Each structure stands twice: as C-alpha cells, then as structure tokens.
Amino acid sequence: MISFIVHWLLIITLEVLFSSAYSFAQTVSFSPATNFAAGSGPFSVVIGDLNGDGKPDLAVANDASNDVSILLGNGNGTFGTATNFPVGWQPFSLAIRDLNGDGKLDLAVANFMDHNISILLGTGTGSFGSATNFPVVFDPMSVAIGDFNGDGKPDLAVANQAYANISILIGVGNGTFGAATNFDVGSIPSSVAIGDFNSDGKLDLAVGNLYSSNISILLGVGNGTFSAATNFAVGLYPRNLAIGDLNGDGKPDLAVANQSISQNVSILLGIGDGTFGGAMNFPVGLAPSDVAIGDFNNDGKPDIAVANYNSHNVSILLGNGTGSFGIATNFPVANSPQTLAIRDFNGDGKLDLAVANRASNNVSILLNTTVVSAVDEEALPTEYALSNAYPNPFNPTTTINYQIPVAGFVSLRVYDILGREVATLVNQYKQAGTHQVKFSASHFGYNSQKVLLK
C-alpha cells in the first residue's frame, strides 16, 4: 500500500494486488490442486490477512454446517486447520472489510434461510466475536461492502433472491447497521458487485438476475440511494459477475458466469456513462458458477478464471487486451466448485487460485506455475505513483492521475484528516500504465481546497 497526503483535507491510498513486473507468457499453467478441509458445503471463499502476519488467509462460508471456516495461510501456498465460527442458517456469501474502524478485518455473511446478515468482528488474531445479525428482506444470496453515502463508513448491499430486490444497510461505523432500504432489480438476483460505472465518484451496483437472464445496473446518487435499474441482457442464468477494465479504455467492464446449458461467460464492455455494449459470449466448462479477473500470465492484459460446477474444474481464458479472450484451458479441482478467489499465496509474484468445492467440503489451492519471459518495458511505468491533482485548488472537482507498473486489482480510496474513508475512486482490475480518475467533493460539503500530494 502506498499513501499520499492531500494537504488539509484528504489522505489518498493506492493499493494494488499485482503479479510480477515486465514478464509474460502466452500460455498459463497451475500445479495440481491441493485440498484443505473446510466445513460442510463450502459455498463462498474470500481472502484477507486475518491475523496481521502479512500472509493471505481464507474465510469460507459453509451452507450445510451453518458456519464460517477460517484457514490461516503459511505464506507458501498451504493453510492451517480450519477454525469454525457459527453464523445463521445456510450462509451463501461473505464479504470482508474493516467494519468498525479498528484496523482489523471483519466479515459480513448472507444467511439465505434466516433472511439476515451476520457480522463477525475480527480480533486481528484470526479469531472473531459472536455473530450479530441484521435483517434483510428474504433469501439473501449475495453481500458486498462499499461506502454508498460518502460518510466514510462501510455500508452493505445485499441481493435478495425471493423478492427481486437489493437491500442497502447504512453502516454506523462501529460494526452495526441501520434498517434495510430496498431497490427493485430483475428476477431472482443472485449476485451483487460494486463499481463506479459513470465516473461520477459515487458507487454504483451491478446485479446478476438468475431468472431474467440480465444484469441490473443501479447508479448511485451518493446519499445511500440509487436510481431505477437499467437492465442489460447476458446468457442464461447469470450466477456471478466480476468488474474490471477488460479492454484498457479506463472504463469498468463486466464478466458474467452464466450457469446454464449455454456454458459460457458473457463480457459486457462499459461505455463509461453507466451503460454497456451487447454481450459477447465465450465458452467455458459445465455450469459455470463464478468468475474472477486477474492477469495470470503477466502480459499486462486481464484474464478471467471461471469455476465450473458440473465439470469440476476451473477454466482460464487469456485476454488479448481488447475485451476478447482465447480458448479456455481447464484445470481440475475437487467436486462441485461453487466460487473462487485469486491472490498470490506463496509470494512468487504470480496469481494463484482458491476454489470452494461445495460437494467435497474443501477448498482447492492451485498455485500458478506459468513460466514467464521478458517483455518490452519501454511503454510501461517503472514505479507506482500518484500525480498532483489538477486543477488545484479545485471546487468541487479535480482529476487525479496514477500509474502502476504491472496489472492488478487497484483500490484508490480517499480519507479525511481523521482517517475516515470518504470515497472509493477505483476498486477494480486495471492494466499496467497511467490512469486518471475524477474526484468530486460536492456531496461532502467541502469548500474550495488547495490539494498537495506528497
């Protein structure tokens, strides 16, 4: 993480989850899967440093044993024995973030049959306190975390399958949340993801609607409310989606796993105004249930990884940087992979995979063994950097430029002088290079300020 102080008003942090610099391969390979036991029916997996040792750990939602498994990483691609923490009935999804401002990662868990969200506050040692539950509407299938009203406190977005809506729960900042406010989407929403799709500095929502076979886009107003949904067609039964810049134009795009007989992934390229082009479909395995975006061969172009529930494998599709992808290469895992997550688990600078296998009660770890070779470095930045804002002073909008020498998942957040997060400017996969983003202070009530990046 790189931090830059913005004089008098803001602290901006740039965080990049990256793969090694200036080398690439035209193919990709992974070691055979190593499996680590979780609870019964692992449905969702997320990654974070839960005990503060600098090594990535796993949190797994187990929908049959009604708990969350924590597997602490050893830093070499292996993990310790699972410790389980009870939550509600049939947890299908979880998200990770510091929810009470103590600097320790916490968990939000969507409990499908209990119709609520469990909050587990982390102790910073890999352990968690007892769950506190917050009601939503009916059958919460997916949960995501973001600051929707610009107060610097994390809020929750929850996809409710039975009632075809999204619940927004505004965070108090101490790990508790207000009553749910609901916004209509399509039929049987199964996933929700967060991004800024129209570049106004306010977080928007993308929702995968299983039965209406489309994606709902809800543009954020900046006060915790959203505009009416606009829908974009994809393949049959979109189960999960991911957000990233897939064609290098600086605008967020969508990758959607369609869990149906069509057996494909839909790619929707963003226009930059909250709308998207028509879906382009790429074949993968049987019943694709999840998708993630990362650069697996270190060529600076985003690739996609797909969990195939019925063919018990993971498909890797290498991107060409235009929003198109090559033929899938498949890697076996255990039975019924439901979701996946990506991170460098052994510190070799290559992105690895963690896959939650619902039918075999474990998580598969696939370490990236791709052999890379040198690539032309001339056009790429050589270091991470944030440039001075322009204009400066500004009222109310300024532009911030940043550069990253390697492709990766970029998080660019703004904090006030008390350390409270006030905006998320970027939270998606970005290619190596120089990028810019606009920041508007209009809905924070700040007057014109002189900004100095140090």
Side-chain angles (χ1 to χ4, degrees), residues 90-94 108-112 116-118 140-143 158:
Q90 206 165 20
F92 273 163
S93 173
L94 75 168
V109 186
N111 303 305
F112 187 79
N116 61 23
I117 302 296
S118 290
M141 189 71 189
S142 178
V143 60
V158 183

Side-chain angles (χ1 to χ4, degrees), residues 19 36 43 77 97 119 153 156 163 199 226 240 244 288 316 386 433:
S19 45
F36 298 88
F43 201 96
R97 189 81 169 263
I119 301 298
K153 303 167 186 174
L156 304 179
Y163 274 63
S199 299
F226 294 83
N240 269 308
I316 301 294
L386 278 170

Side-chain angles (χ1 to χ4, degrees), residues 68 85-87 105-109 118-122 128-132:
V68 169
F85 299 87
V87 290
L105 290 178
D106 310 308
L107 299 175
V109 186
S118 290
I119 301 298
L120 291 82
L121 298 180
F128 292 82
S130 298
T132 303

